[in-house]
Amino acid sequence: MKTEAVLKGNILHDITHWGISASIGAIFLVHSIKKFDPSWQEWLSSIGMPPEMQLPIALAEFIGGILLIAGVLTRITGAVFAIILLGAIFHIRWESGFFVSQGGWEWDLVMLAAVLAIIAAGPGRISIAHVAKRIPRFLQ
């Protein structure tokens, strides 16, 4: 029996797959809540970003977190999160160096790796996309 076939039929694989997506989704969901606070606009301005980006970023993280947990539009959400994380790494944290203890981009890199894995793997079998079966693959 091929290893790939064993992994695809393994319930632990399915739970782990969903666990990674749900964990990343939960992290973005929780982090989005502070971004709805109007004071976050001031912080955006302080790093050279337009304050009007507050709502789009907050909504992308909030709605995207829910979508990853539910397992629908995971690849699109993963791509949006990858863009957000690349922005965090290169626009916000790069100057602080690698280590998160010094305000660096170490944790953002871990999150980016997880998001790229989600993009590559798709929604998995524990997901709305798997149950619905009518959602086109590129939207999963």
Side-chain angles (χ1 to χ4, degrees):
M1 187 183 299
K2 291 183 178 179
T3 305
E4 183 179 319
V6 171
L7 285 177
K8 287 193 178 216
N10 186 333
I11 189 68
L12 291 176
H13 177 263
D14 294 339
I15 292 168
T16 302
H17 187 141
W18 176 78
I20 291 169
S21 292
S23 297
I24 299 301
I27 289 167
F28 271 97
L29 183 66
V30 170
H31 277 266
S32 75
I33 293 169
K34 69 180 177 187
K35 293 176 177 133
F36 285 102
D37 185 328
S39 66
W40 201 69
Q41 283 185 341
E42 295 169 21
W43 182 80
L44 282 175
S45 294
S46 75
I47 63 165
M49 289 188 68
E52 296 81 17
M53 290 302 293
Q54 174 197 9
L55 193 56
I57 293 170
L59 285 173
E61 291 187 8
F62 184 81
I63 295 168
I66 292 169
L67 292 174
L68 278 189
I69 293 167
V72 66
L73 302 176
T74 54
R75 288 189 168 107
I76 292 170
T77 300
V80 170
F81 284 174
I83 292 166
I84 290 170
L85 288 163
L86 287 168
I89 290 169
F90 292 109
H91 187 70
I92 300 167
R93 303 191 193 282
W94 188 259
E95 303 264 330
S96 299
F98 177 75
F99 296 104
V100 72
S101 62
Q102 298 167 354
W105 44 272
E106 176 182 17
W107 182 247
D108 296 302
L109 184 63
V110 171
M111 293 284 290
L112 180 61
V115 166
L116 292 175
I118 290 167
I119 293 169
R125 292 192 306 176
I126 301 176
S127 66
I128 290 175
H130 180 75
V131 174
K133 297 199 187 270
R134 299 192 83 164
I135 298 171
R137 182 168 167 80
F138 72 93
L139 290 177
Q140 295 181 3

